[in-house]
Amino acid sequence: MKIELFEPHLVSEKGVFRYLFRSFIRYKNAGLVSEPRPFPSLLKPREHSSAWARFDGHLVFFDYSDHIFLYDAEALKNCDVYCKANLHHGVTRKALKEAGIQEHEHKILPFVWFAGNLEAYRLDSKWNRLMLLGARPNFDVCNIVGIYGNYLAIGEKSVITGNSGPPVDPARYHFWIRYHVQQALREAGVSGYYRLTSRGNRKLEDDQLIFSSLSERKYMRIMYESRFTVINTLPHALLPWKASESLMLGRPFIIERSPLTEVPEPFRLQPKVHYLEMFPGFGNFNDDAELEDPHCYRILNRLDSDRLREGAMNIAVAVKDRDLLEYMHEQARKYSATILSPSFVADYVCGQVEKRIH
């Protein structure tokens, strides 16, 4: 199969397409083309992370937007295969109907995230063998997560617990769920490296609740020195690329709620195998909401204090279960060595595209 990749800079830049494109080049002899991409990047209503390739002359579009409702209509109309990370069929049908392009739904394939610098997390690399020499788990969890605003500092009530306070919206929910999860795990006696970071916004940093971001190498070492990585899936109900980083380091992770987005079968992750879940089955998208309503594509349900405590206590018990820990670490290492390997990624994508174009 002849594979041609547009935008050669994506191969060298640290971004979501580097691991994917390098896999094609290394294992499928993909070539880079200097001609412009078939259609320019979508910038409105939001900037859209995407890339193009040709497989045996057929146009394949990779949609890496972290907004499950966002589609590039021109790309979908003109491509042969549309690989969509964070695919949710209910939200997709609403988005396609609104754009008047429902007849192209058959082109869409579920896809998966790869961290922008995923290759650097391989345990068998010479650099990591040296950096992690003698390192061993010192914490139950690595809970390092960025926030965009500090609503506690301005005196607002939480939108997670209780029934009063400001309206529930994605921005507030994003902060409060991260704050409450950290507090609940600490109170449950889960040892950890806990850090809310500013994502580079120095105005948020108070060195008491919000701290500066860590270097990638220090972050990687702390993740490796922890038995689990805490990853927030709320309110988005999808897995951020931190999940692939954690698994590449052989570390399972902890999430509030399993994602509502579709993951292709070989990449699918299982509870108590690859991750622990704090609030199983909590919340769903509002199927009756209009696409413009964030309740259509976010989980914005309130959590009462009892459920927060119960979820954290369940985690506290699970992380002390040595048999479970050993099993989950083994499964994470296996996933890293097989499913996340560049050769498997390249073979999988080529196989899926070939089914669609032939």
Side-chain angles (χ1 to χ4, degrees):
M1 176 176 281
K2 183 181 180 181
I3 302 176
E4 300 166 287
L5 306 174
F6 294 87
E7 299 178 290
H9 63 90
L10 295 176
V11 176
S12 56
E13 290 179 357
K14 183 174 153 182
V16 294
F17 296 106
R18 181 163 70 169
Y19 194 71
L20 177 66
F21 276 20
R22 287 186 175 184
S23 299
F24 291 147
I25 292 169
R26 183 176 178 184
Y27 291 99
K28 298 298 178 181
N29 296 314
L32 302 175
V33 296
S34 57
E35 62 188 276
R37 55 185 275 161
F39 293 88
S41 297
L42 185 68
L43 299 176
K44 295 180 179 180
R46 291 173 173 82
E47 190 172 351
H48 193 234
S49 181
S50 64
W52 287 89
R54 268 196 302 252
F55 286 65
D56 285 345
H58 297 269
L59 285 173
V60 177
F61 184 73
F62 296 98
D63 178 341
Y64 263 18
S65 171
D66 58 358
H67 297 291
I68 66 175
F69 57 86
L70 188 59
Y71 278 83
D72 187 324
E74 288 304 308
L76 182 57
K77 287 188 287 187
N78 289 280
C79 73
D80 296 291
V81 181
Y82 192 108
C83 298
K84 172 69 172 174
N86 302 321
L87 174 65
H88 183 279
H89 287 287
V91 175
T92 291
R93 292 190 180 106
K94 288 185 179 183
L96 299 190
K97 183 178 180 181
E98 186 172 288
I101 51 175
Q102 306 98 308
E103 68 272 19
H104 296 281
E105 185 179 354
H106 68 279
K107 300 177 183 178
I108 300 171
L109 289 177
F111 207 53
V112 65
W113 280 92
F114 303 108
N117 200 26
L118 186 59
E119 199 168 1
Y121 287 73
R122 295 205 71 88
L123 286 174
D124 57 4
S125 73
K126 182 179 179 180
W127 180 264
N128 284 343
R129 287 200 301 270
L130 290 172
M131 183 186 75
L132 300 174
L133 184 65
R136 56 189 301 176
N138 296 315
F139 309 105
D140 290 327
V141 300
C142 165
N143 191 347
I144 303 172
V145 61
I147 53 94
Y148 296 102
N150 185 351
Y151 292 92
L152 185 67
I154 61 176
E156 281 199 6
K157 291 184 178 180
S158 171
V159 299
I160 302 295
T161 59
N163 295 311
S164 61
V168 181
D169 61 29
R172 289 184 172 93
Y173 205 102
H174 186 278
F175 168 77
W176 285 110
I177 192 66
R178 283 150 181 74
Y179 171 80
H180 283 301
V181 164
Q182 283 203 358
Q183 295 301 311
L185 289 173
R186 280 173 158 162
E187 290 170 7
V190 178
S191 69
Y193 189 101
Y194 292 99
R195 191 180 184 96
L196 292 176
T197 69
S198 66
R199 293 181 179 266
N201 184 355
R202 299 296 297 273
K203 294 179 181 179
L204 293 176
E205 296 169 16
D206 57 15
D207 292 332
Q208 295 180 355
L209 180 65
I210 313 299
F211 299 85
S212 61
S213 300
L214 299 177
S215 70
E216 184 172 39
R217 302 306 293 181
K218 185 170 184 179
Y219 165 71
M220 186 185 302
R221 185 177 177 92
I222 293 169
M223 191 185 295
Y224 185 76
E225 290 178 342
S226 304
R227 298 173 184 88
F228 291 85
T229 304
V230 176
I231 298 175
N232 297 98
T233 53
L234 297 178
H236 311 91
L238 53 85
L239 274 181
W241 72 19
K242 189 186 295 185
S244 63
E245 293 170 343
S246 184
L247 290 168
M248 191 66 93
L249 284 174
R251 293 295 179 261
F253 53 88
I254 296 166
I255 53 180
E256 298 109 338
R257 194 242 195 266
S258 57
L260 293 177
T261 51
E262 183 176 344
V263 177
E265 176 57 40
F267 297 93
R268 205 163 293 163
L269 302 171
Q270 302 296 328
K272 294 189 178 179
V273 178
H274 305 103
Y275 65 85
L276 299 174
E277 192 174 9
M278 290 186 71
F279 315 115
F282 170 73
N284 279 294
F285 297 154
N286 183 350
D287 294 335
D288 296 326
E290 298 296 327
L291 199 61
E292 293 74 20
D293 184 344
H295 290 80
C296 178
Y297 51 84
R298 295 281 189 267
I299 293 178
L300 298 172
N301 304 70
R302 295 183 188 271
L303 260 172
D304 62 58
S305 298
D306 288 342
R307 189 159 189 185
L308 267 166
R309 282 193 293 270
E310 181 184 0
M313 288 304 300
N314 288 340
I315 295 298
V317 172
V319 298
K320 302 299 183 186
D321 185 330
R322 292 190 176 184
D323 290 338
L324 179 63
L325 179 66
E326 183 178 346
Y327 171 71
M328 293 184 72
H329 275 215
E330 179 186 353
Q331 293 302 309
R333 291 191 295 267
K334 181 179 178 181
Y335 190 94
S336 169
T338 55
I339 305 302
L340 287 180
S341 69
S343 59
F344 183 88
V345 169
D347 284 342
Y348 171 77
V349 176
C350 288
Q352 291 300 303
V353 170
E354 192 169 16
K355 289 178 183 179
R356 291 299 180 103
I357 65 177
H358 294 301

